[in-house]
Amino acid sequence: MSVFRRFFVAALSLLVTLAALPVSAQDAQAPIQRLLQEHGEIIAKSSRRTIGPAIDALAASGLDEAQTVLERWREKEMWQNKDTGLFVYAEEIDRRTIRTFDFATSEALGEFEDKAYKQLKPNSGIRGLISAALVRFQLTDPNPQARTAALNAIERDADETHLAALRAVVDAESDANIAQRMKRLERLLTIRFAEEDAERIAAIQSFEGDLGVDVRAALNPLVVTRLDVDSVLPNDADVVRQIEPGTDALDVDSAYALLVSKDLAVERISRDAQKAALIANIDGGSVGGIQLASLNTEAGRDLAYTALVQQGAVEPAATDAEVRETLENFAFFERYSAVSPEVALAAQAVLKGIENKVAVNQTIDLGLDALSLASIYFLAAIGLAITFGVMGVINMAHGEFIMMGAYTGYVVQLFVPDYTLSILLAIPLAFMVTFGAGVAMERLVIRWLYHRPLETLLATFGISIALQQLAKNIFGTQARPLTAPGWLDGSLVFNDIVSISYIRIAIFVLALLFLALFLIVMNRTRLGLEVRAVTQNPRMAASMGINPDRINMLTFGFGSGIAGIAGVAIGLYAKVTSEMGSDYIVQSFMTVVVGGVGNIWGTLLGATMVGTLQKGIEWLNPSNTLAAQTYMILFIILFIQFRPKGIIALKGRAAEA
Amino acid sequence: MTDATLAPARQPIVRRYPVLLVFLGCLALFTLGVTILSEGFGIGIISTSFVKTLGKTLCLCLVALAMDLVWGYCGILSLGHMAFFGIGGYAIGMWLMYARTEIIVVQSLSAAPLPPTAQEISDGIATQIFGVVGASEFPPIWAVAHSLPLQLAAVVLVPGLLALVFGWLAFRSRVTGVYLSILTQAMTLALALYLFQNDSGLRGNNGLSGLQNLPGLGHVPQSTISIWFFWASALALGLGYILCTWVVSGKFGSVIRAIRDDESRVRFLGYPVEAYKLFVFTLTAVIAAIAGALYYPQAGIINPAEIAPIASIYLAVWVAIGGRGRLYGAVIGAAFVSLLSTYFTGGQAPDINLGFYTIQWVNWWTVLLGLSFVVVTLFAPKGLGGLFDLIAARTAPDRHGADLGPDVGALREKEAEK
Amino acid sequence: MFGIPNATPCATRKGTQMSKRLLTTTAALAVMAALPAAAQDCPIKVGVLHSLSGTMAISETTLKDTMEMLVEQQNEAGGVLGCQLEAVVVDPASDWPLFAEKARELLTVHEVDVIFGNWTSVSRKSVLPVIEELNGLLFYPVQYEGEESSKNVFYTGAAPNQQAIPATDYFLEELEVEKFALLGTDYVYPRTTNNILESYLKDKGIPAEDIFVNYTPFGHSDWSKIVADVVALGADGKKVGVISTINGDANVGFYKELAAAGISADDIPVVAFSVGEEELAGLDTSNLVGHLAAWNYFQSADSEANEAWVEAWKARMGEERVTNDPMEAHYIGFNMWVNAATAAGTTDVDAVRTAMYGQEFPNLTGGTAVMLPNHHLAKPVLIGEIQEDGQFDIISQTEEVPGDAWTDFLPESAVLVSDWKELGCGMYNTETSTCVQIKSNY
């Protein structure tokens, strides 16, 4: 039986060998393959912690193919044969088949099922290491893109070998931009890796006032400190400052723990440890002669513990008073721990200058953010400034008009794949759709309720609920993509701190355009004149030959149409969901009310105030954005108490209307 | 109070408002019927979950009564009364959670070798309650959670004070009409956002849960507890109805209706309009809070989503559909719409197959509700309650005069007869 | 949508009766010993408690469809215990109190034998008291914050140590991240998870000032300041990584702002715990390539079982539909329940519960999921990189990690264990050797 089995196994393995014949065309003894096999295990394991030797060996091998291996590997194109363990690179033909190539010869080996191979997927940590290893090949590459890639890799994962490599090529660089980056990078690497203090200090000082995050990233590690303690404050150069225990910088517990760790004081006992000690010493119904029943207070337990100490059953522990006394006998201080004091002091001086500048720039950035938020609120509210501010109609479905505009944009993008064209199409279409919806709503519902504002509010709420659910039924509840054209991607970067995305700039510009449009329509056109006339005194206007019904309809449509365009803009920067309108409706009303009803400048001021306020509160409490919204609404409630007519209150006849 | 010459006003309230007796009778019959049919005390035709639904509906009717008083009678469209409802629920919920957890913790610590200190018990309770939101200390807001009387006082006092302060600020600066509505809505939104934060100390988005388990009554089945709460809710609704009827009757009722119809004229007549409005606003806030305190132990969980502005809007919807300006209208509206909502969103309503499209009620009910709201506002401002007028009109001779004021939709004529 | 489950029982009841008669006549002798005295009531009812309307509908409707598909597949394979299964679908409408009401209705009115349902933690907490009071059985399929173990719930989603901790380890070890931004939506899952992570990171030697925590409301859209704050974290020369527990829609704005700020995954990697295939459908992912997500399952998992699963799903629901992690959790949970019920010979809750412990079932990513006595699964943890097509490229897959009900990284929880098999307690204090409570804390 066993003979048969052995024969069978031998025959089978022969078959396998035959089947695997095409693979054996690959030269397992080629130097690059041997190198890979040597590190085969850690390459297959693919962990950043262990991969180092393999990458180093490849980079240092001097083999021409090493660069190919590293590049293919980084691009997840390296595969390992599950049977032979040999490495190849491959391209995928379809989901199940791959075409493999030999590293040594770059020749195609044939097409195989991908089940026989394991794809090596280096994670981004390993890819970073590979890129860093590729630097030496790429820095001298004639292709400027490769050199830029090398610089990117150095910026991400620099090591000390890069300094020498950079210095070797920096003077020969022909491309001015790359040369500039190289020089900057060389100075940064000098700060991090140079041996000589003088060299490092010179490099540090060359960055005076530079706002780059990379500069601060290089300098900050130089000025790290560690806490130390001594009986008196030593007069060393590297002592930064003295710290009093019991302040924010150092609490009593950690100060005392430091003393204990240096064997300068006896340990304190925690409540839990005390409890454990007491439990360990339970003797019948009492501990240290004190009844168990009376151990239900902390005082009782302290008493029992003291009794135990007196009996010698447990170690004495420091009391709070002793802790305070001990701490007074020592001086706590911080000292530089990373580099020599000279370098640290130089870095500290430069950092101080930079940080002042950073603070100024952060304020500017916050200001930009606030301005951007204000423009978004303004955009959301401007339609309301017309329907509510001018006409006095409470339209709770205003938010749903914003949503309709955004969904119009989404639908247009379904049919027009070009993003620029689709947005250009979406804006007028969104206006038309929401203009139509607005007119329909005015004709069917609102005009019957002009004398009953509270009922308008409720009826439009009904419409709002219905529209929201309708959108859910049609488009689903998941957010839909509304993608900005490519030229709106990215940000306008002033420096590493102050930047603002182009899409926000576009919204800001749009808000200004709308403001201008509103002013022109209201003050310079016949329609505007008639609108103002109808709002102030509809009967008088009617007797002058103006048709108030028509004007009301058009005004409401105009306000709704603008909301639709705002929807496209808001959808571009945030999200398109059926509930996006309700996110803005209360804020929009607040904006109009705070600013003062009936005045577009008031709305502008209101939006600015709301936006700035929200960003300001966010800055004060950065870890909780929700709190910012809560406090902002509270503030607005209070504000309206004291200025019920808003920032800019209408006076005279307009106010009576 | 009133001049003796206006003697009819001195008649007992039941005589002047026969509806009151009819209502109380119906409520008593209903309560009795449900009890007999229930699982806990009767023959078990009505499931416990439906008893809970009915009990909750009674609480909703009570808060709708409050809404009718403040909106239908006093003309203040408050879009924030569900906030008071929620605060009431939170106040009672804190005690329920604390007391229930305390029993568990004391029991578990009693097995330990050392008797627990007060601090250990408190820490244990805090860890149990707040462990779920990643904290283990009691926020100051829970200071009196251990005491049922104090928390019961909080049910009334916290919403009452909030309403008093908010109302005082709003009314004294003459914020009226839609501005007031938006302001109350902002108040609800701010409160909901605040409660959504975990830092608020009320377990953030999770809210307070397990409220249906009464501390110390673990052995009593829910079928019994649900009936207890049903009775309590019915009692509260009955008392609330009597209170509201009493408030709207007599001179006080006339003044607040006058404020609704023309605030300036009432003010020029020398009435302290702000004080009247403030009283009604605060009173209704307290009624709402009591309704909430009864509602949430039946619902089992309260969280900030319950306070979201939309809840208060639905409250207005109920009252409008039921017919504002008449107390039984609010009750009918709340019961009708909320039970109908439960039916349609529950997935039990059969789908309607149109051939090319199947209407699923879970998706279309909200659309229908929204649109029906528009229709009611436009065509039936008297709401469902108006149907009773039709019946009344058949028996009573037509003595209609002209409309009594500028507001076409108001219902003053009927009231003027009183 | 409801047509299918309502139609099946009528059609199948006759079939089941016939098969029952067959059983009694021909196979009675063989089966008698295995079957308990009381024959199973047919059909066996399976409650499905997922929101079909409201904010959670988008996520939960998928799971309802999954359950209907699983029930149908099981019926085609002959049902359970000789009975056909009937899915009883109710809609709690994303309303948390309604979850409790509907759970009571399922257990008392429809008398279901098991419930598959819930998505959010708050809905689970709402249902817990009801399930425990009426001794129901719930399979909960979503990753959650842990710190809970109910006798009546099987948690088939990931506990923090099956998702958050391995992902953080990946950040620490593979990407050498030294500074962490924990961004989350302000609710219980991010709060607890971030709490655990903070404590874990401190254990790993990350100082408190290198951990930045921020909470934003649901559906937050204005991310510019927060993204700028995260970039500024890099100023002290440490590698920054973002651990995101941002939920739902808010992710759209967040990723858009990340892309606009030009932050690549190589500079500041983001690992998300709530972003799966479904969520990416609402985004243009070309700017997000390389950012990470950690789950127990990705659609791109390379196994034959998964291929069949994805194929069946697409055939039923449409080519553009994707599969995700909670679906796999239901797949495992449902099959384990079927096997446990078969092993116990009844659908009685206590018998099935006992039979569940140690149940094994092959998961879709290869390997085997095991049900532990603490009602959690042992499952592998996968980390995937976002690709241009909205799918994930799996770059790391661990061995099976046993789910831990009580985290080891918070002092109050470290002393607690859950063991329903031996100790009969879900909250057992190992220090005092006492059971803190039998019911769970809600």
Side-chain angles (χ1 to χ4, degrees), chain B residues 6-193:
Chain B
L6 296 174
R10 307 298 301 179
Q11 281 180 341
I13 195 165
V14 178
R15 285 283 299 280
R16 278 178 289 134
Y17 285 86
V19 175
L20 179 61
L21 266 191
V22 176
F23 178 82
L24 291 178
C26 288
L27 186 64
L29 272 180
F30 176 68
T31 314
L32 195 66
V34 170
T35 311
I36 291 170
L37 297 179
S38 73
E39 282 177 5
F41 286 84
I43 53 178
I45 288 180
I46 299 182
S47 70
T48 301
S49 56
F50 194 61
V51 170
K52 285 186 181 231
T53 307
L54 292 176
K56 286 191 291 183
T57 308
L58 291 181
C59 298
L60 295 179
C61 292
L62 181 57
V63 71
L65 263 188
M67 183 69 187
D68 197 18
L69 193 56
V70 77
W71 178 33
Y73 284 89
C74 199
I76 306 167
L77 176 54
S78 161
L79 294 180
H81 262 58
M82 282 312 255
F84 304 124
F85 186 77
I87 294 174
Y90 265 105
I92 197 71
M94 282 159 77
W95 175 76
L96 285 169
M97 277 208 94
Y98 188 97
R100 191 189 71 228
T101 317
E102 188 180 25
I103 292 171
I104 295 167
V105 168
V106 168
Q107 199 180 11
S108 117
L109 284 179
S110 65
L114 288 189
T117 62
Q119 186 62 39
E120 277 173 341
I121 292 178
S122 159
D123 286 351
I125 299 171
T127 311
Q128 283 269 17
I129 294 180
F130 298 105
V132 64
V133 289
S136 56
E137 268 170 37
F138 269 116
I141 200 171
W142 286 70
V144 296
H146 57 274
S147 152
L148 178 60
L150 288 178
Q151 282 299 136
L152 282 179
V155 167
V156 178
L157 290 181
V158 175
L161 278 177
L162 179 64
L164 197 66
V165 172
F166 182 87
W168 182 73
L169 283 171
F171 299 141
R172 73 174 256 288
S173 48
R174 304 267 167 92
V175 181
T176 52
V178 288
Y179 290 89
L180 189 72
S181 304
I182 293 170
L183 209 59
T184 49
Q185 192 181 25
M187 177 199 74
T188 330
L189 183 63
L191 187 68
L193 284 177

Side-chain angles (χ1 to χ4, degrees), chain A residues 271-272 274-275 278-279 282 287 292-298 301 388 394 396 444-446 448-449 451-463 465-467 469-470 473 585-587 589-590 593 597 624 626-631 633-634 636-638 640-642 644, chain B residues 71 75-77 79 109 112-120 166 168-175 177-179 181-183 185-187 189-191 193-194 196-197 199 309-310 313-314 316-317 320 324 357 362-364 366-367 369-371 373-374 377-378 381 407-409:
Chain A
R271 286 275 162 214
D272 284 345
Q274 184 194 44
K275 193 175 160 191
L278 291 178
I279 291 172
I282 291 179
V287 178
L292 273 185
S294 62
L295 292 184
N296 60 355
T297 59
E298 287 176 1
R301 291 184 181 183
F388 176 49
I394 303 286
M396 281 294 170
L444 292 175
V445 179
I446 288 170
W448 307 106
L449 301 170
H451 300 290
R452 294 187 278 165
L454 282 185
E455 264 130 286
T456 319
L457 189 152
L458 290 174
T460 49
F461 248 129
I463 295 172
I465 295 168
L467 282 179
Q469 184 63 37
L470 212 57
N473 293 353
I585 185 74
V586 177
Q587 253 99 344
F589 269 106
M590 291 285 147
V593 172
V597 177
N624 197 334
L626 208 50
Q629 292 190 358
T630 315
Y631 296 132
I633 293 176
L634 279 185
I636 290 174
I637 292 177
L638 279 180
I640 292 178
Q641 306 295 339
F642 298 109
Chain B
W71 178 33
I76 306 167
L77 176 54
L79 294 180
L109 284 179
L114 288 189
T117 62
Q119 186 62 39
E120 277 173 341
F166 182 87
W168 182 73
L169 283 171
F171 299 141
R172 73 174 256 288
S173 48
R174 304 267 167 92
V175 181
V178 288
Y179 290 89
S181 304
I182 293 170
L183 209 59
Q185 192 181 25
M187 177 199 74
L189 183 63
L191 187 68
L193 284 177
Y194 175 74
F196 260 120
Q197 297 174 52
D199 301 340
I310 191 78
I313 293 162
Y314 276 127
V317 173
R324 70 210 127 101
Y357 184 82
V362 286
N363 291 334
W364 287 94
T366 322
V367 179
L369 186 67
L371 293 181
F373 199 31
V374 180
T377 328
L378 282 180
D407 191 337
V408 186

Side-chain angles (χ1 to χ4, degrees), chain A residues 379 402-403 405-407 410 423 480-484 503 507 564-577 580 584, chain C residues 252-253 256:
Chain A
L379 204 56
I402 294 179
M403 169 197 83
Y407 272 118
Y410 162 71
I423 293 301
R480 294 287 154 186
L482 180 56
T483 313
I503 191 93
I507 289 177
I565 301 181
V568 178
I570 289 170
L572 281 180
Y573 109 100
K575 57 188 172 153
V576 185
T577 66
M580 64 183 285
Y584 290 95
Chain C
V252 178
K256 274 189 181 177

